[in-house]
Amino acid sequence: MSYKSDYSKAVFLNAYGSGKPLKQNSEYQQYIKFECEITNPRKYHKQLIAADYLQLASPEKIISSLKVSELKEICESIGVQKTGKKQILVERIISSCSPDQITSFVKEPLYSLSAKGELFLNEHWEYVELHKHKNYGISLDEYISLKNSLPFTSTFRDVAWGIFNKRILDYSKNKQYGLLRSNYLNMSQLSKEEKNYDVELKFLLYVLFFDIYDYDMEYISYQTTREKAINCYRCFAFQTSIPGRISELKEYYDEIYADEVYQSYSGQFPIVVCDINTFKHLVIDLFDSTENINQKYVESFERNFTCYVDVHFRQHKEDVSSHVDSNQKPKGCLSNIAIICFLIYILSIIQ
């Protein structure tokens, strides 16, 4: 499929189009082989050069591709000042050396994007964006499928938002709360990149909510003792970077956010470890300070969970025990009748 080859080409050109030499196959980034499915990167690199996507780097590109430590060594060797930021060092070297002299500073030819390569990369930049955001878990096929279904010319962000919103519906329907949590975290990160900080805050509140309600009711029901059931819940909501980031976004907060987040999913959890008022107070406290939040709220959440277990776990076990006893009695009666019948049969034979 052409979009797969375009994806590989765009990712490769972005990685090796800014003044890079040909390398041995083992020296290329691992994702080039596994993500882009380029089994022979060196050969592929040569093909892009031959196809005029890459060309010999200009003196400016050569110098700009070097590290600061390398630039300082060159400055010292040509007798110019070696202090200052990278761009200053680059300009100093270029103004002091001829193109041939600059080329001699590198051991092997360097290649950078040609006009053709720049055009291709600009036209397919969404693939680079997709690669850079691979933590979103969006496959290339999934991306292209949704992109082709949209009735307008879309950007990477348009497609990503479409996928995120679809996942909310799917994960909510199937009660996949761990995946929902990750999805909202991705949405907060994309909002942050777009500088939509109020939207980022709201999505982070969803993440916080799921971190508080991190328990599996089905797993709890399998536990055989009260202690094991209680140990099924441990709140780690304040051991991540989420509360700290929420605290930084205080100026973008609207109380309606907490209401919307809580009411969206609270009804799907039978154990109320955190009611709506506690959730609102928690958010306000995070804006004031994240210190001592852990102890204040975690103890409350775990106490609420324990209270639920003490009432419902005992009742559940009594119901199970009663059910087992009622099932065993008929089996005991049938066994006794069978024994009596057998004895009568034996006596009749003896007589």
Side-chain angles (χ1 to χ4, degrees):
M1 299 181 187
S2 61
Y3 65 83
K4 290 188 176 181
S5 62
D6 287 345
Y7 176 88
S8 299
K9 188 184 298 181
V11 171
F12 191 98
L13 288 174
N14 182 65
Y16 296 98
S18 57
K20 303 290 184 182
L22 284 167
K23 299 174 179 289
Q24 297 302 315
N25 280 327
S26 60
E27 296 175 323
Y28 288 88
Q29 295 287 345
Q30 288 297 304
Y31 64 78
I32 294 297
K33 179 177 180 180
F34 296 105
E35 183 183 332
C36 300
E37 299 181 351
I38 299 173
T39 57
N40 191 329
R42 182 179 175 85
K43 180 180 179 180
Y44 186 81
H45 202 162
K46 289 181 177 180
Q47 290 173 344
L48 292 179
I49 295 170
D52 197 30
Y53 287 100
L54 295 167
Q55 62 185 9
L56 283 171
S58 66
E60 291 79 6
K61 290 283 188 181
I62 292 174
I63 293 300
S64 297
S65 69
L66 300 179
K67 299 177 182 177
V68 171
S69 59
E70 295 172 320
L71 294 174
K72 288 184 177 182
E73 289 179 5
I74 293 174
C75 287
E76 186 174 7
S77 69
I78 62 177
V80 298
Q81 191 177 357
K82 61 178 183 179
T83 58
K85 295 183 178 180
K86 180 174 181 177
Q87 187 56 39
I88 293 176
L89 298 176
V90 168
E91 292 173 359
R92 193 175 292 152
I93 294 170
I94 291 175
S95 63
S96 303
C97 300
S98 67
D100 289 342
Q101 191 176 3
I102 289 175
T103 303
S104 69
F105 292 145
V106 293
K107 297 178 181 179
E108 52 191 327
L110 303 184
Y111 297 91
S112 60
L113 292 173
S114 64
K116 180 180 178 180
E118 288 182 358
L119 178 62
F120 179 89
L121 196 56
N122 289 335
E123 290 177 345
H124 298 85
W125 187 251
E126 61 184 317
Y127 293 148
V128 177
E129 291 265 39
L130 180 59
H131 164 72
K132 289 182 176 181
H133 295 85
K134 55 187 174 185
N135 60 300
Y136 292 170
I138 301 175
S139 70
L140 179 58
D141 288 336
E142 180 183 19
Y143 180 87
I144 293 298
S145 177
L146 184 60
K147 180 181 175 66
N148 289 342
S149 70
L150 297 177
F152 55 87
T153 302
S154 58
T155 64
F156 165 76
R157 281 165 168 69
D158 294 329
V159 180
W161 281 119
I163 291 173
F164 288 152
N165 287 316
K166 181 178 182 299
R167 287 176 175 179
I168 288 177
L169 297 176
D170 293 341
Y171 296 157
S172 297
K173 179 181 178 181
N174 297 313
K175 297 184 177 181
Q176 296 172 298
Y177 302 122
L179 294 176
L180 263 172
R181 190 259 186 202
S182 298
N183 193 58
Y184 280 122
L185 180 59
N186 292 336
M187 295 173 84
S188 74
Q189 292 172 348
L190 190 54
S191 300
K192 182 179 180 180
E193 289 182 15
E194 297 174 343
K195 298 184 179 181
N196 292 330
Y197 299 120
D198 54 336
V199 179
E200 178 197 359
L201 174 58
K202 184 165 69 172
F203 289 139
L204 287 175
L205 292 180
Y206 277 107
V207 176
L208 178 65
F209 175 86
F210 283 115
D211 283 346
I212 292 171
Y213 276 83
D214 185 15
Y215 68 81
D216 186 338
M217 196 65 212
E218 184 176 354
Y219 180 69
I220 295 169
S221 67
Y222 288 141
Q223 304 310 307
T224 56
T225 67
R226 170 185 177 275
E227 289 70 24
K228 289 182 178 179
I230 290 174
N231 287 333
C232 289
Y233 179 74
R234 286 292 181 269
C235 181
F236 299 104
F238 308 106
Q239 298 182 25
T240 70
S241 62
I242 302 303
R245 180 56 183 166
I246 289 175
S247 178
E248 295 171 357
L249 296 171
K250 177 180 180 179
E251 64 180 293
Y252 301 97
Y253 181 63
D254 186 321
E255 188 173 333
I256 195 174
Y257 292 169
D259 283 315
E260 180 180 336
V261 169
Y262 192 89
Q263 293 171 7
S264 294
Y265 295 103
S266 61
Q268 300 186 32
F269 292 90
I271 305 177
V272 181
V273 296
C274 175
D275 60 46
I276 178 61
N277 290 326
T278 302
F279 188 69
K280 288 181 177 180
H281 288 147
L282 165 59
V283 175
I284 298 302
D285 283 348
L286 285 176
F287 292 144
D288 292 335
S289 173
T290 57
E291 295 182 5
N292 302 320
I293 290 289
N294 188 0
Q295 182 177 0
K296 178 179 178 181
Y297 285 96
V298 169
E299 289 179 357
S300 171
F301 300 157
E302 293 182 349
R303 184 167 57 250
N304 292 339
F305 187 86
T306 299
C307 288
Y308 179 93
V309 170
D310 283 340
V311 174
H312 296 273
F313 186 79
R314 185 189 306 116
Q315 182 62 48
H316 171 70
K317 292 306 174 187
E318 288 174 355
D319 292 344
V320 171
S321 176
S322 174
H323 178 70
V324 170
D325 289 344
S326 64
N327 284 341
Q328 287 178 343
K329 286 178 182 178
K331 291 181 181 178
C333 292
L334 288 174
S335 179
N336 291 335
I337 292 172
I339 292 173
I340 292 171
C341 291
F342 178 73
L343 290 174
I344 292 174
Y345 174 72
I346 295 297
L347 287 174
S348 66
I349 293 175
I350 295 174
Q351 291 176 352

